[in-house]
Amino acid sequence: MATQYQYVWLKPREIRLVQFRKEDVTGNIVCQFRIINIDELPVSYTAISYCWGSSDRVAELSFSNGQTLRITRSVEEIVHWLADKEGYFWVDFLCINQDDLDEKGTQVAFMSVIYSRSERVAAWLGKEIEDDEAAFDILSRWQSAFGDPERYNTLEVSVEMQRRLPELEKLKGLLRHPWFRRAWVVQEVVTAPGIPLSSRPYNHANLLLHSGELSAPWSALILVAGLARAAEPQKDDLEADDLVASAIYNIRSVDKLRYHHRFNCPPDLGTGLLEVLGFDSSDPRDKIYAVENICRTLGRNGLQPDYKAPVSYVYNRTAYDLLTKHHILHILLAAGVGHVRKDENLASWAPDWRHGKLLMGGHMIDSYRFAASGSQTLHLQGDWCLKSLTFVGIQIDAYGRQFPFPQPRISPPGRITRMIGPSARPWMKEIRKFLEESVHHSGFRKTLVFARTITADYWMLGPGNMNSTTSLIKYWLKDNDHWDTKEGASMGGTIPLTSKGLYLFDNVLPGQNRLAYMELFGTQQRGLLGLGPKGVQDGDVLCILMGLRLPCFLRPVDIKDGKVIKWMFVGVCYVDGLMDGEGLAMGPKQDFTII
């Protein structure tokens, strides 16, 4: 009876490479390891990127010394795929001793080096996927048609790209594959070798996707993501599928990080984590570890991969160091008890990266355009033992009420579903009444306040079209019975409600994006209108924290003698009339200790 394979201990900077061969007589697959120093590289190797899938070990792999190793179904597929191929490979499940958490942490710490020093990276998507032949054929033809970067922006190519847009439908099966949502893909793609110093040239021969015997370069996927963005109305059908939309978003995010990596200007870890909110990992700690090595690190004493540490410790420690040592405050865009959280040991100022997609609301507010605390410098003190941060800030007002968005209804082309229709009329009347009674907004045009707030002052149509957009919203606020969504209908003579008009309007009011994760609210005394996390509740206080670009809600949790001793961070928000330092004159400064 064969014995369990016994891994040989690795010295610092050593890695294992695996080689496969098929026995002539039995056809059985046998493998053996070779240990090398990553800095010397006596042989070249291919690094494999793939989805782990189920962690159940359902098959056995034989070694040349007679020992065996239990492996997962996905690794078994990879072994059969590589059995006929010569050379050395690096497959994390095999080449890292999964039962030795200390070795796992050490190897994970320099996985970016392992991938960057490989000869190539091969992404394995499985033996077959939905419509794989049609999808890979399209990728191949697009690669040939648009592969020359000098032709990319010509009118001829633009027209040809528009002509090919219907083919995007055939890529849905490919884009639904979980590989496009796997957190480790970020590091594996970003550090892949041989990628040029531009996101445009499509000659990434050293980074290939494989499905069975089919293959396509990563660059073809960049082209798909670009076409989806250029698709305008037609892309609604493509991105109506959440998995497909997520894949397109993730491809763009990874390519942005890859571009910065190749120019040796990696983002800080906070920015990197926000960029990859749409990715998943089987181990929640990998949401941090998979990104840390491709971003500006936390320094020599930064967090090292440790799979023995609780998830809450990893998330708390990362957030604490980013906030107190490096003043990377924009991670607070994804923090707060106003978002989905299931870990009581997590500090309110530490994002729960496990719920990445649900944290996108704050991230979708373009914080760099605002300065809620004006030019005031950051005042922040931390106490790691108490898991507390003390900011200096100003109380502005108390939470007053929420304006829940109307229930979505299905209407073509699929994404403008919340705002158009009779169900939106009572909601708009409530907001109009609130604004008319508002003390703060008495001197403002109500439609502008509404438009700026619901879009977080994000005008995709550009300043020149602001009046047209305002007229469109003003039409909504009137008592008008014409809520027709049919092709060719007109909205008050401003923007025709054609597919094109709906698409443009969707970019101003992304009902399936920003509004899907945030809620409209009004404050109690000043009558401020804002857009904030869905979890805001009675008793929460709207504040300005010095150094933070956006207002935020805090929740009192420890009150003694009528004074709040400790607060919880609820989440950031957009509040019309507070985004450029106006709140600095609305009250005295005080300390806020947030736990």
Side-chain angles (χ1 to χ4, degrees):
M1 183 177 179
T3 59
Q4 174 75 10
Y5 182 81
Q6 300 298 310
Y7 280 91
V8 177
W9 181 74
L10 293 176
K11 298 176 183 178
R13 306 292 290 180
E14 284 187 339
I15 65 171
R16 298 181 187 90
L17 299 178
V18 64
Q19 192 174 35
F20 304 96
R21 64 177 174 84
K22 267 189 178 180
E23 294 183 334
D24 294 333
V25 178
T26 63
N28 294 334
I29 299 172
V30 177
C31 72
Q32 62 181 14
F33 285 129
R34 176 171 179 175
I35 296 176
I36 66 167
N37 186 294
I38 191 65
D39 298 316
E40 297 175 0
L41 288 183
V43 295
S44 61
Y45 61 94
T46 298
I48 307 300
S49 173
Y50 66 103
C51 287
W52 270 42
S54 172
S55 59
D56 295 338
R57 303 189 182 192
V58 297
E60 273 194 349
L61 177 62
S62 300
F63 284 79
S64 55
N65 63 1
Q67 295 179 339
T68 61
L69 181 69
R70 299 289 294 177
I71 58 176
T72 64
R73 183 68 67 196
S74 58
V75 174
E76 182 187 27
E77 277 191 13
I78 291 173
V79 169
H80 284 279
W81 173 51
L82 298 176
D84 296 324
K85 295 174 174 56
E86 296 182 354
Y88 289 95
F89 303 92
W90 191 85
V91 184
D92 61 353
F93 184 91
L94 299 176
C95 298
I96 299 175
N97 184 356
Q98 300 299 321
D99 297 322
D100 186 340
L101 295 182
D102 290 328
E103 178 184 303
K104 186 176 180 180
T106 302
Q107 292 280 293
V108 165
F110 65 97
M111 271 177 59
S112 60
V113 178
I114 295 174
Y115 277 87
S116 64
R117 296 188 181 178
S118 65
E119 184 177 28
R120 69 181 62 85
V121 172
W124 173 249
L125 303 184
K127 290 186 292 187
E128 58 180 41
I129 57 178
E130 181 184 343
D131 297 327
D132 57 349
E133 290 190 12
F136 277 83
D137 177 63
I138 290 172
L139 293 178
S140 176
R141 287 190 285 107
W142 285 4
Q143 179 76 14
S144 300
F146 307 118
D148 184 354
E150 295 182 359
R151 297 180 59 245
Y152 187 82
N153 284 322
T154 66
L155 178 61
E156 175 191 355
V157 170
S158 298
V159 172
E160 179 64 15
M161 288 171 69
Q162 289 290 329
R163 189 182 71 81
R164 293 173 182 257
L165 288 176
E167 292 184 317
L168 287 172
E169 179 72 22
K170 298 178 181 179
L171 297 175
K172 282 186 175 181
L174 172 66
L175 295 174
R176 289 191 189 108
H177 195 281
W179 185 84
F180 293 101
R181 299 180 302 281
R182 175 178 170 264
W184 281 109
V185 164
V186 179
Q187 180 174 258
E188 294 159 3
V189 171
V190 167
T191 61
I195 297 177
L197 294 178
S198 170
S199 61
R200 286 290 170 83
Y202 301 139
N203 57 347
H204 304 186
N206 292 329
L207 176 55
L208 296 175
L209 279 77
H210 297 267
S211 175
E213 296 304 315
L214 303 171
S215 65
W218 166 260
S219 55
L221 294 174
I222 302 171
L223 181 58
V224 169
L227 276 172
R229 172 173 289 179
E232 297 192 344
Q234 293 94 329
K235 82 173 182 179
D236 292 305
D237 294 330
L238 188 71
E239 294 194 356
D241 186 316
D242 285 344
L243 295 181
V244 174
S246 177
I248 292 171
Y249 177 87
N250 290 347
I251 291 169
R252 293 171 184 163
S253 297
V254 170
D255 197 53
K256 185 189 301 184
L257 292 172
R258 180 189 60 76
Y259 180 82
H260 288 297
H261 178 79
R262 296 304 298 174
F263 276 111
N264 199 27
C265 54
D268 61 72
L269 180 56
T271 300
L273 289 170
L274 289 173
E275 279 290 341
V276 299
L277 283 175
F279 288 86
D280 302 319
S281 62
S282 54
D283 189 316
R285 287 163 288 211
D286 286 337
K287 295 281 282 195
I288 304 289
Y289 300 155
V291 180
E292 190 173 21
N293 285 337
I294 58 171
C295 299
R296 293 201 298 275
T297 63
L298 299 176
R300 187 170 296 178
N301 297 321
L303 189 70
Q304 297 299 310
D306 182 0
Y307 288 94
K308 295 178 181 178
V311 174
S312 58
Y313 173 86
V314 175
Y315 287 5
N316 283 337
R317 186 77 240 189
T318 300
Y320 184 84
D321 287 352
L322 287 173
L323 291 167
T324 60
K325 295 181 181 180
H326 303 275
H327 297 167
I328 298 175
L329 300 184
H330 48 271
I331 65 165
L332 293 175
L333 296 175
V337 295
H339 300 291
V340 175
R341 297 162 77 86
K342 297 181 180 179
D343 193 336
E344 295 180 353
N345 295 316
L346 201 62
S348 66
W349 38 260
D352 192 343
W353 303 108
R354 284 167 290 202
H355 306 291
K357 193 172 181 180
L358 299 178
L359 305 181
M360 284 187 173
H363 182 37
M364 287 177 179
I365 300 177
D366 192 3
S367 62
Y368 290 101
R369 298 175 52 237
F370 305 117
S373 60
S375 59
Q376 298 290 309
T377 56
L378 173 68
H379 295 275
L380 174 61
Q381 293 181 331
D383 188 326
W384 173 245
C385 294
L386 297 177
K387 304 293 187 296
S388 68
L389 300 175
T390 301
F391 288 85
V392 173
I394 297 172
Q395 287 194 45
I396 302 298
D397 202 352
Y399 167 79
R401 59 164 303 179
Q402 206 168 59
F403 300 98
F405 287 108
Q407 289 297 315
R409 55 190 284 273
I410 299 173
S411 60
R415 295 175 72 198
I416 312 299
T417 58
R418 287 179 179 269
M419 312 308 301
I420 298 174
S423 63
R425 294 171 67 186
W427 175 74
M428 293 175 185
K429 287 182 179 180
E430 280 190 78
I431 297 171
R432 183 177 60 184
K433 182 180 179 181
F434 175 82
L435 291 174
E436 288 172 348
E437 296 173 352
S438 167
V439 175
H440 178 80
H441 293 300
S442 60
F444 293 87
R445 290 176 59 188
K446 305 301 186 292
T447 51
L448 267 180
V449 173
F450 174 75
R452 284 196 301 256
T453 303
I454 205 169
T455 62
D457 203 11
Y458 187 70
W459 297 91
M460 282 292 291
L461 293 179
N465 292 294
M466 186 178 293
N467 289 334
S468 296
T469 309
T470 303
S471 298
L472 180 59
I473 294 174
K474 187 175 181 179
Y475 173 87
W476 287 0
L477 296 175
K478 291 180 179 178
D479 291 328
N480 198 306
D481 294 328
H482 300 291
W483 297 81
D484 191 0
T485 61
K486 293 181 180 179
E487 188 81 13
S490 176
M491 269 258 184
T494 49
I495 299 179
L497 196 57
T498 59
S499 293
K500 179 73 172 180
L502 282 171
Y503 168 74
L504 292 174
F505 185 61
D506 184 37
N507 278 288
V508 179
L509 283 171
Q512 297 289 344
N513 291 311
R514 189 178 294 110
L515 307 187
Y517 306 108
M518 307 188 78
E519 205 73 89
L520 213 62
F521 66 85
T523 64
Q524 198 171 85
Q525 296 178 352
R526 298 183 185 272
L528 296 163
L529 187 68
L531 192 66
K534 290 180 178 291
V536 179
Q537 62 187 36
D538 290 340
D540 291 347
V541 178
L542 180 65
C543 301
I544 300 292
L545 301 182
M546 300 304 107
L548 194 60
R549 292 177 175 271
L550 300 176
C552 64
F553 274 106
L554 301 180
R555 182 171 299 164
V557 291
D558 188 357
I559 303 176
K560 292 183 180 179
D561 300 325
K563 182 179 180 181
V564 180
I565 306 300
K566 295 179 182 178
W567 304 76
M568 295 184 74
F569 192 79
V570 179
V572 298
C573 52
Y574 174 93
V575 182
D576 194 72
L578 287 186
M579 305 308 292
D580 294 304
E582 301 93 332
L584 296 175
M586 294 184 180
K589 293 182 179 179
Q590 66 180 83
D591 289 344
F592 293 91
T593 299
I594 305 174
I595 59 174

